[in-house]
């Protein structure tokens, strides 16, 4: 399986996020992961929210305290350059938290600022720093 991230957003922001994801490339629904193609990059996208079941109660409580009611999108990505470009295009102006699946949960705004400061930043090797 390729690396994944989880985008956690309040309901209104979630709807906008899904709309943006479906509009930033060639988007095709599929049985398990929908397919999003952008140039040479292919992403798997799961908007079902089933990934929330993989979080423990403590994590869910922390996320709810920050976002209120929220929904999730699971994204499978080929490499950091691809996912970085995707995130820059879809997260601007949306509120939420990215779960890196590397032990960090980072708010969307801080991720975008970090990409501006260091375009090669990779949360997988820096522990979110």
């Amino acid at each position: 399986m390729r690396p994944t991230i989880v985008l956690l957003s309040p309901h209104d922001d979630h709807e906008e996020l899904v709309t943006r994801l479906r509009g930033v490339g060639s988007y095709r629904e599929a049985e398990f992961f929908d397919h999003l193609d952008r140039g040479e990059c292919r992403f798997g996208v799961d908007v079902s929210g089933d990934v929330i079941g993989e979080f423990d109660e403590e994590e869910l409580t922390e996320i709810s305290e920050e976002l209120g009611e929220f929904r999730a999108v699971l994204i499978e990505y080929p490499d950091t350059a691809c996912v970085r470009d995707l995130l820059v295009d879809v997260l601007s102006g949306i509120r939420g938290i990215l779960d890196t699946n590397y032990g960090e949960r980072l708010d969307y705004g801080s991720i975008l600022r970090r990409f501006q400061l260091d375009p090669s930043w990779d949360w997988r090797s820096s522990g979110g720093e």
Side-chain angles (χ1 to χ4, degrees):
M1 183 169 159
R2 298 185 309 168
T4 60
I5 56 171
V6 180
L7 302 176
L8 305 154
S9 304
H11 283 273
D12 291 345
D13 291 287
H14 172 81
E15 296 303 323
E16 177 62 23
L17 175 63
V18 170
T19 298
R20 289 181 186 184
L21 285 168
R22 290 181 173 154
V24 295
S26 174
Y27 193 94
R28 182 173 46 87
E29 292 184 7
E31 186 175 349
F32 296 105
F33 276 100
D34 294 348
H35 299 275
L36 170 60
D37 293 315
R38 290 174 40 102
E40 299 296 317
C41 303
R42 172 168 279 181
F43 301 91
V45 180
D46 178 5
V47 299
S48 72
D50 291 346
V51 70
I52 291 174
E54 296 180 21
F55 289 85
D56 65 37
E57 281 302 314
E58 183 178 325
E59 291 173 310
L60 293 172
T61 299
E62 290 171 4
I63 296 165
S64 292
E65 287 173 355
E66 186 166 341
L67 300 178
E69 288 187 45
F70 66 93
R71 296 183 60 196
V73 175
L74 175 64
I75 297 179
E76 181 185 64
Y77 60 95
D79 60 47
T80 53
C82 286
V83 77
R84 179 177 46 248
D85 292 344
L86 177 67
L87 294 175
V88 166
D89 285 349
V90 301
L91 293 184
S92 181
I94 293 180
R95 193 167 68 96
I97 300 168
L98 182 147
D99 185 307
T100 66
N101 283 329
Y102 283 83
E104 297 289 330
R105 287 194 306 269
L106 309 166
D107 73 84
Y108 295 167
S110 69
I111 289 169
L112 295 175
R113 285 187 297 279
R114 185 62 191 257
F115 286 151
Q116 284 180 328
L117 294 171
D118 181 4
S120 64
W121 176 59
D122 181 350
W123 58 76
R124 298 175 310 169
S125 61
S126 64
E129 294 295 320

